[in-house]
Amino acid sequence: LSILIFMFFNFQIFNLRKVFLGDAGSVTLGFILSWFLIYYSHPSQRFIHPILTIWCVTLPVYDLLSVIIRRINNKINPFRPDRTHLHHLMLKIGLSSKSVFALLILFSILINFMGGLSFYFFGPSPSLLFFVLLFFIYFFTTLRLSTKVK
């Protein structure tokens, strides 16, 4: 419910003030989402298969892993902040923040849908392999994009 209220204010449907989540808010949302995914994929509950949990958070996982790998490859501390996350790269090429938001939502829905279909039609092991294959495609695409916009 609180996420819906947050989104209601930040989409500025009625020109109300925006709500800033900050680090504490984003960490709290991440914790809540992680807790639900772990809880509902646990063998005692098993509402969803554990492979489907990684498909629920594909884009954030891909972005985190690709940024860490790039930082380590460039001999930069992986915990230091920079502007090499996907949304920063999209802003650097000239997209508006609303366009970046829309594209990230659409991209996330698309890859989550593809992951769900791969699990449904081929099972958990091929779906996991597909997840890894898509990560490599994502990594090399964002690596190429990050070298172009510097």
Side-chain angles (χ1 to χ4, degrees):
L1 180 63
S2 61
I3 295 172
L4 292 176
I5 294 169
F6 169 78
M7 292 176 77
F8 176 78
F9 276 98
N10 283 348
F11 284 136
Q12 293 187 317
I13 296 169
F14 297 110
N15 290 328
L16 299 171
R17 294 185 181 262
K18 284 189 174 189
V19 176
F20 182 69
L21 219 55
D23 286 341
S26 61
V27 168
T28 301
L29 283 177
F31 173 78
I32 291 169
L33 179 63
S34 301
W35 187 88
F36 276 117
L37 289 174
I38 292 168
Y39 179 78
Y40 287 115
S41 66
H42 192 269
S44 65
Q45 297 298 323
R46 194 56 76 127
F47 286 106
I48 60 173
H49 195 278
I51 295 297
L52 289 175
T53 61
I54 63 169
W55 283 109
C56 291
V57 290
T58 305
L59 190 57
V61 169
Y62 282 1
D63 194 44
L64 172 76
L65 291 176
S66 65
V67 167
I68 288 174
I69 292 169
R70 273 198 309 268
R71 288 177 187 168
I72 290 173
N73 189 40
N74 293 332
K75 295 178 177 54
I76 299 172
N77 183 349
F79 300 109
R80 292 199 52 157
D82 63 9
R83 300 220 177 246
T84 59
H85 288 281
L86 181 60
H87 64 281
H88 292 296
L89 299 175
M90 293 171 82
L91 288 169
K92 280 183 188 176
I93 62 172
L95 295 174
S96 70
S97 59
K98 288 184 180 183
S99 297
V100 168
F101 174 73
L103 285 172
L104 289 177
I105 293 294
L106 288 172
F107 182 60
S108 184
I109 290 170
L110 175 70
I111 57 178
N112 292 343
F113 186 70
M114 288 172 31
L117 287 177
S118 71
F119 179 83
Y120 179 75
F121 286 113
F122 303 111
S125 296
S127 181
L128 182 60
L129 290 173
F130 184 54
F131 181 85
V132 173
L133 174 71
L134 276 181
F135 170 71
F136 284 114
I137 294 169
Y138 176 89
F139 175 74
F140 288 112
T141 304
T142 56
L143 179 65
R144 193 171 180 188
L145 183 63
S146 69
T147 57
K148 282 185 179 182
V149 294
K150 282 188 177 182

